[in-house]
Amino acid sequence: MMEKVMVIGVSAGVGKSTFAKQLGAKTGIPVYHLDTLYWKPGWVKSTQEDFTYAQQRIVNQREWIIEGNYSSTYEIRAEEADTIIYLELPLRICLYRVMKRWLTNIGRNREDMGPGCPEKMDKEFLSFILKTYHKRKNNSEERLRYFNNLGKPKNVYRLKTKKAISQFLNKL
């Protein structure tokens, strides 16, 4: 039984937000997007203190699905989670989805982003994806084992294909 779910992934564009929304719709568990907690209007970053506090308030609730990576605060979620779902699709799919999302939403605010943060694309973001993808992928097994040893016992799922992601959701 899932009550506190941490959804993370190998990269931007892997489908964390979409997956979390679909999981929330199927389970009735409220969904929280870390980007909405981190980014303030005008793409201003939250302080670490405010970002940490916002997550601590959520993880103390009875049920939640929190999606997003933000490795500096992994432990807050991992210690309380009973389920960790890690999405890992190929880099080319992640990049395609990031570009598609940008083209589809240019100048608009997505519901999984902070208010006043219209969709944008810049060299820094693409560079971040390219520089971190393989490192995250290579460290995923170790990271998932580490998370599994924090706090409560957990169910850990590593979904590596679009088919595996669909099958997981369809089984609920």
Side-chain angles (χ1 to χ4, degrees):
M1 174 95 166
M2 288 185 276
E3 291 182 338
K4 297 183 176 189
V5 183
M6 180 176 170
V7 177
I8 57 176
V10 69
S11 174
V14 77
K16 296 179 298 290
S17 296
T18 301
F19 178 85
K21 287 183 232 176
Q22 293 171 338
L23 185 61
K26 289 213 172 233
T27 61
I29 299 172
V31 176
Y32 300 91
H33 305 281
L34 290 180
D35 283 337
T36 66
L37 303 175
Y38 186 76
W39 294 106
K40 303 300 177 204
W43 290 99
V44 174
K45 297 175 183 178
S46 289
T47 65
Q48 189 66 32
E49 182 180 284
D50 288 345
F51 188 49
T52 297
Y53 177 72
Q55 288 179 70
Q56 287 170 332
R57 284 189 16 239
I58 295 168
V59 299
N60 288 331
Q61 296 175 20
R62 190 176 70 78
E63 292 182 314
W64 47 261
I65 297 168
I66 301 176
E67 73 82 14
N69 286 336
Y70 292 93
S71 59
S72 66
T73 59
Y74 273 150
E75 285 82 8
I76 294 168
R77 293 163 273 144
E79 286 179 1
E80 293 298 321
D82 57 48
T83 304
I84 296 177
I85 301 170
Y86 175 78
L87 306 178
E88 183 182 291
L89 295 176
L91 177 59
R92 70 182 184 285
I93 291 174
C94 296
L95 288 171
Y96 169 78
R97 287 178 172 182
V98 164
M99 295 304 290
K100 181 181 174 185
R101 179 174 70 198
W102 172 63
L103 290 170
T104 304
N105 295 292
I106 293 175
R108 292 191 307 215
N109 224 94
R110 298 189 333 256
E111 69 179 80
D112 59 333
M113 286 303 303
C117 296
E119 187 69 31
K120 68 176 186 163
M121 178 63 60
D122 57 31
K123 192 167 77 171
E124 287 175 285
F125 184 53
L126 288 175
S127 178
F128 172 78
I129 293 169
L130 293 169
K131 287 179 181 175
T132 60
Y133 178 88
H134 294 291
K135 182 179 178 185
R136 285 182 180 184
K137 183 177 177 181
N138 292 338
N139 293 338
S140 63
E141 283 294 327
E142 181 182 325
R143 183 178 299 118
L144 292 174
R145 268 195 309 277
Y146 170 72
F147 291 160
N148 201 31
N149 292 324
L150 289 176
K152 306 172 181 181
K154 297 166 190 19
N155 292 311
V156 178
Y157 301 93
R158 186 174 185 180
L159 307 175
K160 295 175 73 170
T161 65
K162 289 190 267 185
K163 183 178 180 180
I165 292 167
S166 293
Q167 286 176 336
F168 182 90
L169 289 167
N170 289 334
K171 287 180 184 177
L172 297 175

PDB file of all heavy atoms in Angstrom, residues 6 74-75 77-84 140-156:
ATOM      1  N   MET A   6       7.872   8.888  -3.239  1.00  0.00           N
ATOM      2  CA  MET A   6       8.919   9.767  -3.764  1.00  0.00           C
ATOM      3  C   MET A   6       9.136   9.380  -5.222  1.00  0.00           C
ATOM      4  O   MET A   6       9.498   8.243  -5.510  1.00  0.00           O
ATOM      5  CB  MET A   6      10.183   9.558  -2.933  1.00  0.00           C
ATOM      6  CG  MET A   6      11.360  10.375  -3.315  1.00  0.00           C
ATOM      7  SD  MET A   6      12.694  10.038  -2.094  1.00  0.00           S
ATOM      8  CE  MET A   6      14.052  10.850  -2.880  1.00  0.00           C
ATOM      9  N   TYR A  74      17.053  15.174  -0.764  1.00  0.00           N
ATOM     10  CA  TYR A  74      16.578  13.787  -0.931  1.00  0.00           C
ATOM     11  C   TYR A  74      16.178  13.151   0.400  1.00  0.00           C
ATOM     12  O   TYR A  74      15.154  12.492   0.502  1.00  0.00           O
ATOM     13  CB  TYR A  74      17.679  12.906  -1.522  1.00  0.00           C
ATOM     14  CG  TYR A  74      17.792  12.847  -3.016  1.00  0.00           C
ATOM     15  CD1 TYR A  74      19.037  12.629  -3.595  1.00  0.00           C
ATOM     16  CD2 TYR A  74      16.688  12.956  -3.857  1.00  0.00           C
ATOM     17  CE1 TYR A  74      19.184  12.542  -4.974  1.00  0.00           C
ATOM     18  CE2 TYR A  74      16.827  12.873  -5.222  1.00  0.00           C
ATOM     19  CZ  TYR A  74      18.070  12.666  -5.786  1.00  0.00           C
ATOM     20  OH  TYR A  74      18.202  12.573  -7.136  1.00  0.00           O
ATOM     21  N   GLU A  75      17.021  13.312   1.415  1.00  0.00           N
ATOM     22  CA  GLU A  75      16.809  12.610   2.677  1.00  0.00           C
ATOM     23  C   GLU A  75      15.485  12.970   3.343  1.00  0.00           C
ATOM     24  O   GLU A  75      14.862  12.115   3.966  1.00  0.00           O
ATOM     25  CB  GLU A  75      17.970  12.869   3.643  1.00  0.00           C
ATOM     26  CG  GLU A  75      19.230  12.115   3.294  1.00  0.00           C
ATOM     27  CD  GLU A  75      20.062  12.787   2.209  1.00  0.00           C
ATOM     28  OE1 GLU A  75      19.750  13.937   1.816  1.00  0.00           O
ATOM     29  OE2 GLU A  75      21.029  12.160   1.739  1.00  0.00           O
ATOM     30  N   ARG A  77      12.627  13.478   2.061  1.00  0.00           N
ATOM     31  CA  ARG A  77      11.568  12.649   1.477  1.00  0.00           C
ATOM     32  C   ARG A  77      11.847  11.173   1.673  1.00  0.00           C
ATOM     33  O   ARG A  77      10.955  10.403   2.018  1.00  0.00           O
ATOM     34  CB  ARG A  77      11.436  12.961  -0.011  1.00  0.00           C
ATOM     35  CG  ARG A  77      10.926  14.366  -0.250  1.00  0.00           C
ATOM     36  CD  ARG A  77      11.174  14.833  -1.680  1.00  0.00           C
ATOM     37  NE  ARG A  77      12.511  15.428  -1.757  1.00  0.00           N
ATOM     38  CZ  ARG A  77      13.322  15.322  -2.783  1.00  0.00           C
ATOM     39  NH1 ARG A  77      12.965  14.660  -3.856  1.00  0.00           N
ATOM     40  NH2 ARG A  77      14.508  15.893  -2.773  1.00  0.00           N
ATOM     41  N   ALA A  78      13.086  10.764   1.468  1.00  0.00           N
ATOM     42  CA  ALA A  78      13.428   9.339   1.516  1.00  0.00           C
ATOM     43  C   ALA A  78      13.210   8.743   2.901  1.00  0.00           C
ATOM     44  O   ALA A  78      12.794   7.586   3.018  1.00  0.00           O
ATOM     45  CB  ALA A  78      14.867   9.126   1.069  1.00  0.00           C
ATOM     46  N   GLU A  79      13.468   9.491   3.950  1.00  0.00           N
ATOM     47  CA  GLU A  79      13.289   8.964   5.308  1.00  0.00           C
ATOM     48  C   GLU A  79      11.836   8.640   5.608  1.00  0.00           C
ATOM     49  O   GLU A  79      11.551   7.695   6.333  1.00  0.00           O
ATOM     50  CB  GLU A  79      13.837   9.955   6.337  1.00  0.00           C
ATOM     51  CG  GLU A  79      15.348   9.977   6.366  1.00  0.00           C
ATOM     52  CD  GLU A  79      15.916  10.966   7.364  1.00  0.00           C
ATOM     53  OE1 GLU A  79      15.143  11.646   8.066  1.00  0.00           O
ATOM     54  OE2 GLU A  79      17.144  11.030   7.452  1.00  0.00           O
ATOM     55  N   GLU A  80      10.904   9.395   5.057  1.00  0.00           N
ATOM     56  CA  GLU A  80       9.479   9.194   5.340  1.00  0.00           C
ATOM     57  C   GLU A  80       8.761   8.352   4.293  1.00  0.00           C
ATOM     58  O   GLU A  80       7.670   7.844   4.547  1.00  0.00           O
ATOM     59  CB  GLU A  80       8.781  10.550   5.472  1.00  0.00           C
ATOM     60  CG  GLU A  80       9.229  11.346   6.674  1.00  0.00           C
ATOM     61  CD  GLU A  80       8.914  10.638   7.988  1.00  0.00           C
ATOM     62  OE1 GLU A  80       7.836  10.027   8.112  1.00  0.00           O
ATOM     63  OE2 GLU A  80       9.759  10.701   8.898  1.00  0.00           O
ATOM     64  N   ALA A  81       9.343   8.228   3.123  1.00  0.00           N
ATOM     65  CA  ALA A  81       8.678   7.522   2.018  1.00  0.00           C
ATOM     66  C   ALA A  81       8.513   6.034   2.319  1.00  0.00           C
ATOM     67  O   ALA A  81       9.370   5.416   2.928  1.00  0.00           O
ATOM     68  CB  ALA A  81       9.475   7.697   0.730  1.00  0.00           C
ATOM     69  N   ASP A  82       7.380   5.481   1.868  1.00  0.00           N
ATOM     70  CA  ASP A  82       7.215   4.028   1.902  1.00  0.00           C
ATOM     71  C   ASP A  82       7.430   3.449   0.506  1.00  0.00           C
ATOM     72  O   ASP A  82       7.570   2.250   0.337  1.00  0.00           O
ATOM     73  CB  ASP A  82       5.849   3.626   2.467  1.00  0.00           C
ATOM     74  CG  ASP A  82       4.682   4.221   1.711  1.00  0.00           C
ATOM     75  OD1 ASP A  82       4.653   4.155   0.467  1.00  0.00           O
ATOM     76  OD2 ASP A  82       3.776   4.762   2.374  1.00  0.00           O
ATOM     77  N   THR A  83       7.463   4.336  -0.499  1.00  0.00           N
ATOM     78  CA  THR A  83       7.645   3.909  -1.886  1.00  0.00           C
ATOM     79  C   THR A  83       8.544   4.912  -2.599  1.00  0.00           C
ATOM     80  O   THR A  83       8.345   6.119  -2.477  1.00  0.00           O
ATOM     81  CB  THR A  83       6.288   3.849  -2.623  1.00  0.00           C
ATOM     82  OG1 THR A  83       5.405   2.989  -1.889  1.00  0.00           O
ATOM     83  CG2 THR A  83       6.448   3.323  -4.030  1.00  0.00           C
ATOM     84  N   ILE A  84       9.520   4.385  -3.321  1.00  0.00           N
ATOM     85  CA  ILE A  84      10.368   5.228  -4.163  1.00  0.00           C
ATOM     86  C   ILE A  84      10.259   4.699  -5.589  1.00  0.00           C
ATOM     87  O   ILE A  84      10.448   3.503  -5.829  1.00  0.00           O
ATOM     88  CB  ILE A  84      11.831   5.218  -3.698  1.00  0.00           C
ATOM     89  CG1 ILE A  84      11.925   5.825  -2.292  1.00  0.00           C
ATOM     90  CG2 ILE A  84      12.710   5.978  -4.691  1.00  0.00           C
ATOM     91  CD1 ILE A  84      13.306   5.795  -1.695  1.00  0.00           C
ATOM     92  N   SER A 140      22.638   5.377  -9.899  1.00  0.00           N
ATOM     93  CA  SER A 140      21.251   5.114  -9.495  1.00  0.00           C
ATOM     94  C   SER A 140      21.106   3.909  -8.567  1.00  0.00           C
ATOM     95  O   SER A 140      20.373   3.979  -7.576  1.00  0.00           O
ATOM     96  CB  SER A 140      20.346   4.961 -10.714  1.00  0.00           C
ATOM     97  OG  SER A 140      20.735   3.844 -11.487  1.00  0.00           O
ATOM     98  N   GLU A 141      21.771   2.818  -8.856  1.00  0.00           N
ATOM     99  CA  GLU A 141      21.648   1.626  -7.994  1.00  0.00           C
ATOM    100  C   GLU A 141      22.103   1.927  -6.573  1.00  0.00           C
ATOM    101  O   GLU A 141      21.427   1.595  -5.601  1.00  0.00           O
ATOM    102  CB  GLU A 141      22.458   0.456  -8.560  1.00  0.00           C
ATOM    103  CG  GLU A 141      21.819  -0.240  -9.732  1.00  0.00           C
ATOM    104  CD  GLU A 141      20.527  -0.944  -9.369  1.00  0.00           C
ATOM    105  OE1 GLU A 141      20.395  -1.449  -8.240  1.00  0.00           O
ATOM    106  OE2 GLU A 141      19.643  -0.979 -10.230  1.00  0.00           O
ATOM    107  N   GLU A 142      23.247   2.569  -6.466  1.00  0.00           N
ATOM    108  CA  GLU A 142      23.789   2.918  -5.148  1.00  0.00           C
ATOM    109  C   GLU A 142      22.848   3.876  -4.415  1.00  0.00           C
ATOM    110  O   GLU A 142      22.582   3.717  -3.231  1.00  0.00           O
ATOM    111  CB  GLU A 142      25.168   3.552  -5.320  1.00  0.00           C
ATOM    112  CG  GLU A 142      25.841   3.942  -4.037  1.00  0.00           C
ATOM    113  CD  GLU A 142      27.180   4.610  -4.301  1.00  0.00           C
ATOM    114  OE1 GLU A 142      27.872   4.233  -5.266  1.00  0.00           O
ATOM    115  OE2 GLU A 142      27.522   5.515  -3.511  1.00  0.00           O
ATOM    116  N   ARG A 143      22.342   4.874  -5.130  1.00  0.00           N
ATOM    117  CA  ARG A 143      21.443   5.854  -4.516  1.00  0.00           C
ATOM    118  C   ARG A 143      20.164   5.183  -4.034  1.00  0.00           C
ATOM    119  O   ARG A 143      19.693   5.438  -2.926  1.00  0.00           O
ATOM    120  CB  ARG A 143      21.112   6.962  -5.506  1.00  0.00           C
ATOM    121  CG  ARG A 143      20.240   8.047  -4.904  1.00  0.00           C
ATOM    122  CD  ARG A 143      19.950   9.181  -5.869  1.00  0.00           C
ATOM    123  NE  ARG A 143      21.152   9.848  -6.280  1.00  0.00           N
ATOM    124  CZ  ARG A 143      21.590   9.909  -7.537  1.00  0.00           C
ATOM    125  NH1 ARG A 143      20.906   9.337  -8.496  1.00  0.00           N
ATOM    126  NH2 ARG A 143      22.685  10.546  -7.840  1.00  0.00           N
ATOM    127  N   LEU A 144      19.597   4.312  -4.837  1.00  0.00           N
ATOM    128  CA  LEU A 144      18.357   3.638  -4.442  1.00  0.00           C
ATOM    129  C   LEU A 144      18.574   2.732  -3.235  1.00  0.00           C
ATOM    130  O   LEU A 144      17.718   2.649  -2.355  1.00  0.00           O
ATOM    131  CB  LEU A 144      17.766   2.862  -5.618  1.00  0.00           C
ATOM    132  CG  LEU A 144      17.233   3.734  -6.763  1.00  0.00           C
ATOM    133  CD1 LEU A 144      16.808   2.871  -7.941  1.00  0.00           C
ATOM    134  CD2 LEU A 144      16.097   4.624  -6.305  1.00  0.00           C
ATOM    135  N   ARG A 145      19.712   2.057  -3.173  1.00  0.00           N
ATOM    136  CA  ARG A 145      20.034   1.244  -1.993  1.00  0.00           C
ATOM    137  C   ARG A 145      20.154   2.129  -0.750  1.00  0.00           C
ATOM    138  O   ARG A 145      19.651   1.788   0.311  1.00  0.00           O
ATOM    139  CB  ARG A 145      21.347   0.471  -2.206  1.00  0.00           C
ATOM    140  CG  ARG A 145      21.168  -0.903  -2.781  1.00  0.00           C
ATOM    141  CD  ARG A 145      22.415  -1.759  -2.650  1.00  0.00           C
ATOM    142  NE  ARG A 145      23.630  -1.131  -3.128  1.00  0.00           N
ATOM    143  CZ  ARG A 145      24.021  -1.115  -4.405  1.00  0.00           C
ATOM    144  NH1 ARG A 145      23.297  -1.720  -5.318  1.00  0.00           N
ATOM    145  NH2 ARG A 145      25.142  -0.521  -4.756  1.00  0.00           N
ATOM    146  N   TYR A 146      20.796   3.263  -0.905  1.00  0.00           N
ATOM    147  CA  TYR A 146      20.946   4.200   0.208  1.00  0.00           C
ATOM    148  C   TYR A 146      19.575   4.663   0.695  1.00  0.00           C
ATOM    149  O   TYR A 146      19.297   4.657   1.891  1.00  0.00           O
ATOM    150  CB  TYR A 146      21.808   5.388  -0.243  1.00  0.00           C
ATOM    151  CG  TYR A 146      21.835   6.525   0.745  1.00  0.00           C
ATOM    152  CD1 TYR A 146      22.533   6.410   1.945  1.00  0.00           C
ATOM    153  CD2 TYR A 146      21.169   7.713   0.479  1.00  0.00           C
ATOM    154  CE1 TYR A 146      22.554   7.457   2.863  1.00  0.00           C
ATOM    155  CE2 TYR A 146      21.192   8.762   1.383  1.00  0.00           C
ATOM    156  CZ  TYR A 146      21.884   8.626   2.568  1.00  0.00           C
ATOM    157  OH  TYR A 146      21.900   9.663   3.466  1.00  0.00           O
ATOM    158  N   PHE A 147      18.718   5.074  -0.230  1.00  0.00           N
ATOM    159  CA  PHE A 147      17.371   5.525   0.142  1.00  0.00           C
ATOM    160  C   PHE A 147      16.599   4.429   0.849  1.00  0.00           C
ATOM    161  O   PHE A 147      15.873   4.675   1.803  1.00  0.00           O
ATOM    162  CB  PHE A 147      16.568   5.952  -1.084  1.00  0.00           C
ATOM    163  CG  PHE A 147      17.049   7.206  -1.738  1.00  0.00           C
ATOM    164  CD1 PHE A 147      16.710   7.475  -3.038  1.00  0.00           C
ATOM    165  CD2 PHE A 147      17.836   8.133  -1.066  1.00  0.00           C
ATOM    166  CE1 PHE A 147      17.128   8.630  -3.658  1.00  0.00           C
ATOM    167  CE2 PHE A 147      18.262   9.293  -1.679  1.00  0.00           C
ATOM    168  CZ  PHE A 147      17.913   9.543  -2.986  1.00  0.00           C
ATOM    169  N   ASN A 148      16.741   3.214   0.376  1.00  0.00           N
ATOM    170  CA  ASN A 148      16.000   2.088   0.942  1.00  0.00           C
ATOM    171  C   ASN A 148      16.399   1.831   2.394  1.00  0.00           C
ATOM    172  O   ASN A 148      15.623   1.263   3.150  1.00  0.00           O
ATOM    173  CB  ASN A 148      16.209   0.831   0.095  1.00  0.00           C
ATOM    174  CG  ASN A 148      15.120  -0.182   0.302  1.00  0.00           C
ATOM    175  OD1 ASN A 148      13.977   0.165   0.574  1.00  0.00           O
ATOM    176  ND2 ASN A 148      15.471  -1.439   0.189  1.00  0.00           N
ATOM    177  N   ASN A 149      17.591   2.243   2.763  1.00  0.00           N
ATOM    178  CA  ASN A 149      18.061   2.040   4.137  1.00  0.00           C
ATOM    179  C   ASN A 149      17.735   3.202   5.061  1.00  0.00           C
ATOM    180  O   ASN A 149      18.084   3.162   6.240  1.00  0.00           O
ATOM    181  CB  ASN A 149      19.566   1.770   4.142  1.00  0.00           C
ATOM    182  CG  ASN A 149      19.886   0.431   3.512  1.00  0.00           C
ATOM    183  OD1 ASN A 149      19.138  -0.523   3.658  1.00  0.00           O
ATOM    184  ND2 ASN A 149      20.981   0.373   2.788  1.00  0.00           N
ATOM    185  N   LEU A 150      17.109   4.242   4.546  1.00  0.00           N
ATOM    186  CA  LEU A 150      16.728   5.393   5.372  1.00  0.00           C
ATOM    187  C   LEU A 150      15.311   5.211   5.890  1.00  0.00           C
ATOM    188  O   LEU A 150      14.410   4.883   5.140  1.00  0.00           O
ATOM    189  CB  LEU A 150      16.772   6.686   4.547  1.00  0.00           C
ATOM    190  CG  LEU A 150      18.121   7.218   4.135  1.00  0.00           C
ATOM    191  CD1 LEU A 150      17.953   8.440   3.244  1.00  0.00           C
ATOM    192  CD2 LEU A 150      18.960   7.576   5.359  1.00  0.00           C
ATOM    193  N   GLY A 151      15.122   5.447   7.172  1.00  0.00           N
ATOM    194  CA  GLY A 151      13.772   5.479   7.734  1.00  0.00           C
ATOM    195  C   GLY A 151      13.023   4.175   7.602  1.00  0.00           C
ATOM    196  O   GLY A 151      13.545   3.089   7.846  1.00  0.00           O
ATOM    197  N   LYS A 152      11.771   4.292   7.185  1.00  0.00           N
ATOM    198  CA  LYS A 152      10.848   3.161   7.087  1.00  0.00           C
ATOM    199  C   LYS A 152      11.246   2.190   5.974  1.00  0.00           C
ATOM    200  O   LYS A 152      11.890   2.580   5.013  1.00  0.00           O
ATOM    201  CB  LYS A 152       9.446   3.685   6.758  1.00  0.00           C
ATOM    202  CG  LYS A 152       8.933   4.725   7.693  1.00  0.00           C
ATOM    203  CD  LYS A 152       7.633   5.307   7.162  1.00  0.00           C
ATOM    204  CE  LYS A 152       7.127   6.384   8.092  1.00  0.00           C
ATOM    205  NZ  LYS A 152       5.885   6.948   7.650  1.00  0.00           N
ATOM    206  N   PRO A 153      10.795   0.924   6.071  1.00  0.00           N
ATOM    207  CA  PRO A 153      10.990   0.000   4.943  1.00  0.00           C
ATOM    208  C   PRO A 153      10.266   0.536   3.706  1.00  0.00           C
ATOM    209  O   PRO A 153       9.220   1.165   3.822  1.00  0.00           O
ATOM    210  CB  PRO A 153      10.352  -1.302   5.421  1.00  0.00           C
ATOM    211  CG  PRO A 153      10.245  -1.167   6.902  1.00  0.00           C
ATOM    212  CD  PRO A 153      10.139   0.298   7.201  1.00  0.00           C
ATOM    213  N   LYS A 154      10.833   0.290   2.542  1.00  0.00           N
ATOM    214  CA  LYS A 154      10.296   0.861   1.312  1.00  0.00           C
ATOM    215  C   LYS A 154      10.138  -0.166   0.201  1.00  0.00           C
ATOM    216  O   LYS A 154      10.868  -1.141   0.148  1.00  0.00           O
ATOM    217  CB  LYS A 154      11.239   1.952   0.798  1.00  0.00           C
ATOM    218  CG  LYS A 154      11.383   3.127   1.724  1.00  0.00           C
ATOM    219  CD  LYS A 154      12.571   3.964   1.324  1.00  0.00           C
ATOM    220  CE  LYS A 154      12.944   5.018   2.326  1.00  0.00           C
ATOM    221  NZ  LYS A 154      12.496   4.902   3.657  1.00  0.00           N
ATOM    222  N   ASN A 155       9.208   0.126  -0.659  1.00  0.00           N
ATOM    223  CA  ASN A 155       9.139  -0.552  -1.942  1.00  0.00           C
ATOM    224  C   ASN A 155       9.841   0.360  -2.929  1.00  0.00           C
ATOM    225  O   ASN A 155       9.528   1.552  -3.012  1.00  0.00           O
ATOM    226  CB  ASN A 155       7.685  -0.760  -2.370  1.00  0.00           C
ATOM    227  CG  ASN A 155       6.982  -1.751  -1.481  1.00  0.00           C
ATOM    228  OD1 ASN A 155       7.488  -2.831  -1.226  1.00  0.00           O
ATOM    229  ND2 ASN A 155       5.823  -1.371  -0.984  1.00  0.00           N
ATOM    230  N   VAL A 156      10.810  -0.177  -3.651  1.00  0.00           N
ATOM    231  CA  VAL A 156      11.576   0.618  -4.609  1.00  0.00           C
ATOM    232  C   VAL A 156      11.339   0.051  -5.998  1.00  0.00           C
ATOM    233  O   VAL A 156      11.496  -1.156  -6.220  1.00  0.00           O
ATOM    234  CB  VAL A 156      13.081   0.603  -4.259  1.00  0.00           C
ATOM    235  CG1 VAL A 156      13.879   1.387  -5.282  1.00  0.00           C
ATOM    236  CG2 VAL A 156      13.313   1.149  -2.854  1.00  0.00           C
TER     237      VAL A 156
END
